Amino acid sequence: MRTLVTGGAGFIGAHVVDLLRQRGDDVVIVDDLVTGLAERVPGIVIHEMDIADTASVAPLTELLRAERIDSVIHFAARKQVFESMQRPAWYVQQNLGSLANLLLAMEGAGVRRLVFSSSASVYGTTEGEAIVESDPTVPVNPYGETKLVGEHLVAAAGAAWGLRGVSLRYFNVAGAASSLLGDRAVLNLVPMVFERLDAGESPLVFGGDYPTPDGSCVRDYVHVSDLADAHLATLDDLEQRADGWHDVYNVGTGTGTSVLEIARIVREVTGIEIAPELRPRRAGDPAIVVASAAKIERELGWRARRDITEIIASAWNAHRANSGEHAV
Ligand code: WQD
């Protein structure tokens, strides 16, 4: 199998590239290296290309042909919710422009299999029950809008020219494989807690009065290596599917963890005494976001194998290795 991975030098992309290579697949990476890091994928050629630019369609088509690509996994995108609220039009250009250009190139080169990185943010405000794929999709920020329209575009390409597509809706991704760098985007909870510890500060808890067991927000944290496994399962499944097929799957564990529980596990894993500091709620945060992971288990045989302690321990090891210290 010969797979093109856009955004292959990013946090999640590099974990998928690593697994593909371990099983002997050929991998070609396209990345603009704005947030991606070449050091994440040593020894693999990176075609440095901004695929949000329409001028990239011709060289991308040529690359797909020349490399005899069978399948594409499309990670390349911007992913900061707050930034998307400040620069909505730019998010459309970046996330939907790149997908549109990729689809044009795939159609031109006759490449018919695509795994698209979507997000739980397509659901918008959630009610606290485990979220199933058929729940309403009403995104509450431009980032989520780009992911939802992206899913629609992938489905439309199936109807128009026979693309076989899958959109994977990621929940809260964290952790790191032992050999790879962790998430350098420090705006998510786990890396933010580590940043605070490095600075000798206590982690912040945004809101202690939510209708949850301990008052702090509950999320479904999935290990990036489990998420990477889900991509391989999806890619293999696409081989059996008919042209024109499209489906969506949640990728989560089905288990929720609160911010205060995370703080407790960080204390256990690091051995650092921390007293979380309670702050007001952060605007726009739903109380509980937990996936039902039943559909992907039933249809693709995938389920998460790593729990929240392993997620945090692996993230901490990667963080310490990144900052040049000794890993635990
Ligand atoms: C998790 C929880 C915070 C930092 C976002 C996007 C989502 C997806 C993942 C891309 C929340 C709380 C955080 C801190 C805290 N992105 N928190 N103290 O908001 O669940 O999801 O990132 O696809 O679409 O919306 O993730 O990691 O920012 O926050 O208490 O210092 O931790 O309030 O409840 P979130 P997060």
Side-chain angles (χ1 to χ4, degrees):
M1 185 111 78
R2 297 181 62 82
T3 305
L4 175 81
V5 181
T6 74
F11 166 54
I12 302 171
H15 281 81
V16 171
V17 166
D18 191 47
L19 287 191
L20 289 169
R21 297 256 298 181
Q22 278 179 36
R23 73 173 195 183
D25 286 13
D26 292 306
V27 180
V28 174
I29 293 176
V30 165
D31 201 299
D32 66 2
L33 297 180
V34 170
T35 54
L37 298 167
E39 60 193 286
R40 283 205 165 100
V41 281
I44 306 181
V45 176
I46 299 174
H47 297 268
E48 199 175 330
M49 207 186 277
D50 173 12
I51 64 167
D53 184 343
T54 46
S56 69
V57 175
L60 199 50
T61 312
E62 185 45 40
L63 182 68
L64 291 167
R65 284 204 188 106
E67 295 283 353
R68 293 176 289 107
I69 296 298
D70 312 297
S71 313
V72 177
I73 308 181
H74 178 49
F75 293 103
R78 309 290 163 221
K79 63 165 184 175
Q80 305 296 350
V81 170
F82 184 66
E83 184 182 48
S84 81
M85 288 163 23
Q86 296 171 312
R87 304 180 71 189
W90 186 71
Y91 260 68
V92 169
Q93 278 186 333
Q94 290 287 303
N95 289 1
L96 290 172
S98 60
L99 177 62
N101 293 336
L102 174 65
L103 288 169
L104 287 168
M106 289 177 70
E107 184 182 4
V111 178
R112 289 180 175 229
R113 290 179 219 161
L114 175 66
V115 181
F116 172 61
S117 299
S118 186
S119 162
S121 62
V122 299
Y123 294 111
T125 312
T126 50
E127 291 297 332
E129 295 294 311
I131 299 166
V132 292
E133 288 82 352
S134 54
D135 280 346
T137 45
V138 190
V140 291
N141 53 62
Y143 168 76
E145 301 270 6
T146 66
K147 290 297 177 183
L148 184 60
V149 175
E151 291 185 358
H152 294 165
L153 259 180
V154 172
W161 53 269
L163 177 76
R164 305 177 195 184
V166 168
S167 299
L168 296 179
R169 294 175 175 168
Y170 311 160
F171 282 65
N172 289 63
V173 185
S178 55
S179 54
L180 294 176
L181 294 176
D183 194 356
R184 292 274 180 92
V186 293
L187 294 170
N188 291 116
L189 173 63
V190 175
M192 273 175 81
V193 169
F194 293 164
E195 289 285 306
R196 302 268 309 171
L197 293 186
D198 284 350
E201 295 164 345
S202 300
L204 303 179
V205 179
F206 298 143
D209 57 352
Y210 284 98
T212 58
D214 64 20
S216 65
C217 282
V218 171
R219 296 287 181 272
D220 186 336
Y221 296 89
V222 59
H223 195 298
V224 64
S225 296
D226 282 328
L227 176 65
D229 282 334
H231 287 76
L232 271 61
T234 306
L235 208 53
D236 294 345
D237 183 67
L238 274 180
E239 273 190 75
Q240 340 287 329
R241 298 290 174 181
D243 285 350
W245 188 80
H246 176 255
D247 211 348
V248 298
Y249 295 102
N250 288 341
V251 193
T253 65
T255 301
T257 308
S258 75
V259 177
L260 286 169
E261 285 173 308
I262 298 269
R264 178 180 54 74
I265 297 166
V266 169
R267 197 160 48 222
E268 279 167 19
V269 163
T270 64
I272 301 172
E273 270 312 313
I274 47 174
E277 272 176 41
L278 203 58
R279 289 292 157 93
R281 291 182 180 196
R282 194 173 69 175
D285 275 344
I288 304 180
V289 183
V290 176
S292 161
K295 182 178 175 188
I296 191 167
E297 177 162 11
R298 192 173 62 239
E299 296 186 15
L300 303 187
W302 175 90
R303 67 193 301 246
R305 291 182 289 135
R306 297 157 177 96
D307 69 7
I308 187 66
T309 303
E310 198 170 343
I311 290 173
I312 291 175
S314 68
W316 178 243
N317 275 335
H319 177 76
R320 300 254 290 188
N322 292 353
S323 47
E325 291 177 47
H326 228 45
V328 291

